Amino acid sequence: LLWSKSQRGILSFNPIKLNLKSVIEKKIANCKSAAENKKIKIISSVNENYSVFADEMMLSIIIINLLTIILDDIVLWIINKVYLIFFF
């Protein structure tokens, strides 16, 4: 639904100051069980002081999409543990 609205240009854009670490960690928490099922540990090392001026929903969608792509496409070879690390 959101993607459809964005394609038709009717998704509102409401940028606000956001704590980047907080947004990323919320989305990591949403993907935690999928990652654990694949024995993947997701670590965020984003500095707590980093803020961004962005639309919270759009930023969340971007982070969720990146996490989903990574979790869906990752191939575990011989390694038992894979770490996805966010550095900013």
Side-chain angles (χ1 to χ4, degrees):
L1 181 61
L2 291 174
W3 181 85
S4 174
K5 285 183 178 181
S6 71
Q7 295 303 303
R8 292 182 285 149
I10 59 174
L11 185 63
S12 63
F13 178 66
N14 301 307
I16 58 172
K17 185 177 179 181
L18 298 166
N19 180 282
L20 185 59
K21 182 176 184 80
S22 174
V23 175
I24 289 175
E25 293 206 353
K26 285 179 192 173
K27 299 310 153 199
I28 288 173
N30 293 345
C31 297
K32 188 175 182 178
S33 63
E36 287 174 348
N37 289 340
K38 294 185 176 192
K39 297 186 180 1
I40 297 170
K41 184 170 184 173
I42 304 173
I43 300 170
S44 170
S45 64
V46 177
N47 186 310
E48 292 179 15
N49 298 322
Y50 282 176
S51 295
V52 294
F53 191 69
D55 181 281
E56 186 171 12
M57 182 156 311
M58 290 183 184
L59 180 59
S60 294
I61 291 169
I62 291 167
I63 294 168
I64 290 169
N65 285 344
L66 289 172
L67 288 169
T68 302
I69 289 167
I70 291 168
L71 290 173
D72 287 346
D73 293 338
I74 202 158
V75 176
L76 300 178
W77 295 26
I78 301 172
I79 301 171
N80 193 3
K81 295 180 183 176
V82 175
Y83 294 91
L84 306 176
I85 303 172
F86 287 93
F87 290 106
F88 289 94

